[in-house]
Amino acid sequence: MIKSRLSKIVLIIFIQAVSFGVCEFCLNTDAGASSFNQAYAYFSEEAKSVDIWERFRSGTQLRAPSQQKLYRHYVDKYKKSGAGVYQLSTQAEPYLHYIMEKLQERGMPSELALLPMVESAFKPTVVSSKGAAGIWQIMPHRGRDSGLLQDAWYDGRRDITASTIAALDYLQFLYETFDDNWFLALAAYNCGPGNVQKAIRKNKRLGRGTSYWELDLPLQSKQFVPKLLALAEVIQNAHEYGMLLPIIEDQPYFVAIDINNKLDLKVAARLAGIHIKVLQKLNPGYKQGTTHPKKAHQLLLPVENAEMFEVNLAKFTSQIILNGKS
């Protein structure tokens, strides 16, 4: 673990040095380019055993028609925007291992782990113009149907673990509804199963094919699947496209701690020894800066801070009890 983290740090420093021109020699001479490639290969290999992208690549199942125009358009777009893909991947880091674990448990395609990149850029507090919320962009009614609490204190659609389970449950339901077809299931996730079924019925009446690529769907849904598959393609074959990805360890980023009483998130951050923004990024479901006053919930904490938090929480709770008795 320590060795892999050191490799990650050294690689990031090296890449940033090149990016900011500090190591311009590395790219402007044959010897420098060779040294860069050797260094990148070395540190990448050192980190590979714990790199989430290796797990991602081993679990991909979906393929777009290679010459499909919209798919090729987005592959070319992402290839030209390597920095954008890198930033999206970095934003995903706290959540990606958890999502990949849940996908693998269900035997679902690892491409689905990138769905929040397309839906929300992995920004957990983003809300669409139509009211969809969280990294999976779940609509209010869909959240209620999935049993996600939504009230003044808490929105389960923004809760990282609860929303992930709800989203994967719904995707599995759609997959079964559309005869084990992931492309149709993804289109239905985006525009609703009714619209997809309507498009299928229309094509049948006209004697046309009923694959995802042949359906007359809303523009956003026509773009949705090609975007996802293009992202998967450039990430799966990043080296071939000359793209860099952040080295994300294939290890749990957070653990869940049961919280039975209302707790201010600023206090929780101090007890855990982390910045409040770190805690908020892992617990975006809490809307008022505290855990729920009437419901038992969990706090997600970075793995390395969980033990400190539990020790300090016990002391903090004991002090409150003592003060209440005095």
Side-chain angles (χ1 to χ4, degrees):
M1 177 72 74
I2 294 173
K3 188 177 181 182
S4 67
R5 291 193 178 190
L6 179 59
S7 296
K8 178 178 179 181
I9 292 167
V10 173
L11 177 60
I12 290 171
I13 293 171
F14 192 68
I15 291 169
Q16 289 180 340
V18 172
S19 301
F20 288 101
V22 176
C23 291
E24 189 172 354
F25 162 80
C26 296
L27 299 182
N28 289 346
T29 70
D30 290 340
S34 176
S35 297
F36 175 82
N37 289 333
Q38 290 174 15
Y40 180 72
Y42 171 78
F43 289 117
S44 294
E45 193 63 34
E46 287 293 305
K48 186 174 287 186
S49 62
V50 290
D51 188 9
I52 195 70
W53 303 120
E54 289 304 303
R55 178 187 283 205
F56 172 81
R57 293 181 183 104
S58 70
T60 56
Q61 301 177 27
L62 309 179
R63 297 290 182 271
S66 59
Q67 298 307 312
Q68 206 281 328
K69 289 183 179 179
L70 203 51
Y71 166 71
R72 294 309 318 173
H73 165 76
Y74 283 114
V75 168
D76 291 339
K77 180 179 178 180
Y78 290 131
K79 279 165 53 180
K80 293 174 183 176
S81 179
V85 175
Y86 189 97
Q87 185 176 1
L88 280 172
S89 303
T90 301
Q91 183 71 18
E93 180 173 5
Y95 319 121
L96 208 49
H97 176 271
Y98 176 81
I99 294 171
M100 285 299 303
E101 285 275 295
K102 296 306 174 186
L103 287 172
Q104 222 166 35
E105 287 173 8
R106 299 165 181 244
M108 299 170 78
S110 59
E111 288 94 339
L112 301 182
L114 307 182
L115 194 151
M117 285 190 181
V118 178
E119 286 281 16
S120 64
F122 271 103
K123 296 179 180 178
T125 58
V126 70
V127 179
S128 76
S129 59
K130 294 183 179 179
I135 62 172
W136 296 96
Q137 287 293 278
I138 298 173
M139 293 292 287
H141 70 277
R142 172 54 49 198
R144 287 190 292 271
D145 290 346
S146 299
L148 297 176
L149 176 66
Q150 300 166 61
D151 65 14
W153 295 93
Y154 170 83
D155 189 340
R157 299 174 302 154
R158 290 168 32 170
D159 183 300
I160 301 303
T161 56
S163 69
T164 295
I165 299 303
L168 299 191
D169 284 347
Y170 187 45
L171 283 164
Q172 279 193 311
F173 165 77
L174 293 172
Y175 177 67
E176 293 165 4
T177 298
F178 289 97
D179 300 322
D180 298 350
N181 186 308
W182 278 117
F183 294 155
L184 295 178
L186 286 164
Y189 186 91
N190 182 256
C191 69
N195 285 323
V196 176
Q197 289 163 338
K198 180 180 177 182
I200 290 173
R201 288 195 298 269
K202 177 182 176 181
N203 272 24
K204 284 181 176 179
R205 286 198 307 270
L206 297 174
R208 297 174 182 169
T210 56
S211 74
Y212 165 80
W213 307 101
E214 298 169 281
L215 297 181
D216 183 19
L217 295 168
L219 178 60
Q220 186 183 59
S221 299
K222 285 182 179 180
Q223 297 171 339
F224 185 70
V225 173
K227 278 183 180 179
L228 178 66
L229 298 181
L231 260 177
E233 166 66 17
V234 298
I235 287 175
Q236 186 172 3
N237 300 293
H239 184 69
E240 292 179 22
Y241 292 121
M243 298 175 64
L244 297 175
L245 296 174
I247 298 173
I248 300 175
E249 294 181 10
D250 190 10
Q251 300 288 338
Y253 187 95
F254 58 76
V255 293
I257 307 294
D258 290 330
I259 303 294
N260 297 318
N261 298 304
K262 182 180 176 183
L263 181 63
D264 188 287
L265 294 188
K266 290 181 179 178
V267 173
R270 288 198 298 271
L271 295 176
I274 57 177
H275 196 282
I276 180 62
K277 289 185 178 180
V278 174
L279 191 67
Q280 289 171 334
K281 191 169 185 177
L282 290 176
N283 299 275
Y286 298 115
K287 298 163 62 176
Q288 304 294 341
T290 72
T291 58
H292 203 290
K294 297 180 180 179
K295 305 284 185 179
H297 283 295
Q298 295 179 323
L299 270 182
L300 302 186
L301 291 162
V303 170
E304 58 267 30
N305 299 93
E307 185 177 354
M308 176 192 294
F309 173 80
E310 290 189 291
V311 170
N312 288 338
L313 179 62
K315 293 177 181 177
F316 178 74
T317 304
S318 298
Q319 190 62 46
I320 289 176
I321 294 172
L322 286 173
N323 290 340
K325 291 180 178 179
S326 60

